Amino acid sequence: MADYTVAAVDEALALLLLVAQSPGLGVTELSVRSGNTKARTFRLLYTLEQRGLLHREGDTPTYHLGYKALYLGVAAQEQVSLVRVARSHLRDIGGICNENVQVRVRDGLEMVCVARWESTQAVRVHTDVGNRRPLYAGASGKVLLAHAPQAVQEAVLAGALTRFTDNTIVERQALEQELQQVLAQGYAVSFAERSSGAVAIAAPIMDADGAVIASLSIAGPASRISADNLQGFIDLVVQRARDLSLGLGYAYR
C-alpha cells in the first residue's frame, strides 16, 4: 500500500504532541526526544510558533502550547463523540453526588483524563484534563487494563510497578486477580491506591462495536465515600456508564 505520509508534517505534529505532553522543554531536549537534529527541531518549532500553536518563554527558551492550540482543544471537545456525549452525563452525576467525575481513555501503557466535572467541596480529589497516570493504579486504570489487549496487559504486568501508597497493588499475581474480579463484576473500586485517603469507583464505557473505549469514574475522600454508601456510588457509576455507552451506539442485550 502506498505511503502518503508527508515527513515534515508528521515530524511537526509529533513535536506538537510532545510539547503538549511535556511543556517547558528546550530545543535540545526536544530534539533528543523527537529523534531530529537540533537544527531541524528548531525549524519545526519555529514553524509551529509562527502558526500560533506553540510559543517560547524565558531567556533560555522553553516551549509551551500557544493560543491557537486552544482552538483545536475546543473544536475537539465539540467534535469527538465521547467527550460531547459525556459532558451532560458528568454534569448530572456531579449534581447528584458532588464528587469529582472523570472520563479516562487508555493511551499506550497510561491513561489520560479527557473530560471531568469537579466537585464544589472544599476537600476533593483533583485532576485536570490531560492528566496522565499508569494503568495499574486506581479504579479507572484497572477498568481500562482489564479490557485492554493481552499484549498491553503483559507489558504492564511484566514492568516495574511503582508503589504510590501502601495500598498500591504491585505484585503481579495480585494484580491479575484484581483484573479478573473487575471483569467479573463489571466495575472497579480503589481505596487509596493512587492517593492516600482517596476512594474511586469506575465502570467501562463501550462504543457501538462493544469495545471498551473509556472509563467513567467518581472519586472522593474516604471521609465521604465509605462502606456505608459505597454501593450507591457503584450503582450510579455503572448505570451512567451504561447510559454513556448507549449514547455512543452500543446496544445492550
Side-chain angles (χ1 to χ4, degrees), residues 6 8 12 17 35 43 46 80 96 115 120 124 128 137 142 164 181 184 229 244:
V6 179
L17 292 173
R43 291 197 299 272
Y46 180 81
V80 175
I96 293 170
T120 61
R124 57 189 183 270
D128 292 314
K142 290 188 295 187
F164 298 101
Q181 182 176 347
N229 61 6
L244 252 168

Side-chain angles (χ1 to χ4, degrees), residues 9-116:
V9 176
D10 186 61
E11 292 169 0
L13 291 174
L15 264 180
L16 181 63
L17 292 173
L18 183 56
V19 173
Q21 295 170 5
S22 303
L25 299 178
V27 174
T28 300
E29 181 63 24
L30 287 169
S31 69
V32 171
R33 295 196 184 192
S34 66
N36 292 313
T37 65
K38 189 172 180 180
R40 183 163 182 79
T41 299
F42 176 79
R43 291 197 299 272
L44 292 168
L45 291 169
Y46 180 81
T47 302
L48 292 168
E49 184 183 3
Q50 293 303 300
R51 284 290 183 175
L53 292 168
L54 296 180
H55 77 275
R56 287 179 291 171
E57 292 183 3
D59 296 331
T60 303
T62 58
Y63 288 85
H64 306 258
L65 290 181
Y67 70 97
K68 283 193 175 177
L70 289 173
Y71 298 167
L72 295 177
V74 171
Q77 285 194 327
E78 292 298 327
Q79 295 174 31
V80 175
S81 295
L82 173 62
V83 176
R84 187 174 67 249
V85 173
R87 190 175 295 144
S88 62
H89 287 278
L90 298 186
R91 185 172 58 248
D92 290 347
I93 298 167
I96 293 170
C97 67
N98 200 14
E99 301 293 352
N100 275 18
V101 191
Q102 304 171 21
V103 173
R104 288 183 174 270
V105 299
R106 183 177 65 82
D107 183 17
L109 303 185
E110 295 181 307
M111 57 177 172
V112 182
C113 177
V114 296
R116 71 177 175 93

Side-chain angles (χ1 to χ4, degrees), residues 6 123 142 216 252:
V6 179
V123 179
K142 290 188 295 187
L216 174 69
Y252 284 93

